[in-house]
Amino acid sequence: MREKITTLGFDADDTLWHNEHLFRLTEDRFAELLAEYTDPQGLKDRLLNAEKRNILHYGYGIKSFTLSMIETAIEVTDRKVPASVVSQILEAGREILSEPATPLPYVLETLKAVKDHYRLVMITKGDLFDQERKATGSGLDRYFDALEIVSEKTPETYETLFRRHGTGAQEAMMIGNSLKSDVLPALAAGSYGTHVPFGQTRALEEADVPEASDRFYQIDHIGKVPELLARITA
């Protein structure tokens, strides 16, 4: 039976452009700043715990990450972290915010190939200003019918957005690098979920592959999206 897909949702960070490597580089710099207080792995574990706690208060994104670094620095130094270190942490966060969003390989070709055949929605978590900056600065915003920056990606999120911008979740596909945020909740909403693995994935986004789902797909890179759609809807 021929399947119908009218709407494509695309994640942004590490699906359309590089992002995770900036966090990794900043974590390494953070570990160097606090090397005299704790070992690098122990520091990163404590930072991850701080991030998990702070998502409820600050959401996702660079600003939340920066605040989590400062909180962790205060903890591991028993509230004795030098002001110069806090200043460098803040500067590291600002540097990430100033980095250009460079489209990943195959992204432009894929968006051009599907734009005239589907409604395209960029669905991303993170800081409002930063995500808007990257969408515009990358030049990719011109290919999308809508940009949605959400606090969390849940089944209800996808149900609402695919109803708002398309013909409902059942006739939509979500494409992204995170199984936890892009694939699993989209599948739960009744959509197709396509995983495009990225070399680096934040621990906050790790999840198991939903092998039992008949609407789950995994492709090597985003350039295979048109071929996948042709196969599903043929």
Side-chain angles (χ1 to χ4, degrees), residues 48-69:
L48 177 60
N49 289 332
E51 287 185 85
K52 290 178 179 178
R53 291 195 305 270
N54 287 335
I55 283 172
L56 297 174
H57 304 289
Y58 309 131
Y60 295 87
I62 296 164
K63 293 177 184 176
S64 178
F65 178 65
T66 302
L67 289 170
S68 294
M69 284 194 291

Side-chain angles (χ1 to χ4, degrees), residues 28 47 61 77 89 118 121 129 148 150 161 203:
D28 291 341
L47 174 58
T77 63
I89 292 172
Y118 302 91
V121 186
F129 293 153
E148 293 282 355
V150 299
L161 296 184

Side-chain angles (χ1 to χ4, degrees), residues 1-6 8 110 113-114 117-118 173 175 192 194 217 219 222-234:
M1 181 177 177
R2 181 175 180 176
E3 299 292 333
K4 183 180 180 182
I5 298 176
T6 65
L8 301 179
T110 297
V114 299
H117 307 285
Y118 302 91
M173 174 184 284
I175 301 158
Y192 293 88
T194 298
Y217 294 91
I219 54 179
I222 201 168
K224 292 189 176 182
V225 166
E227 175 188 331
L228 174 62
L229 290 167
R231 176 156 49 91
I232 294 174
T233 60

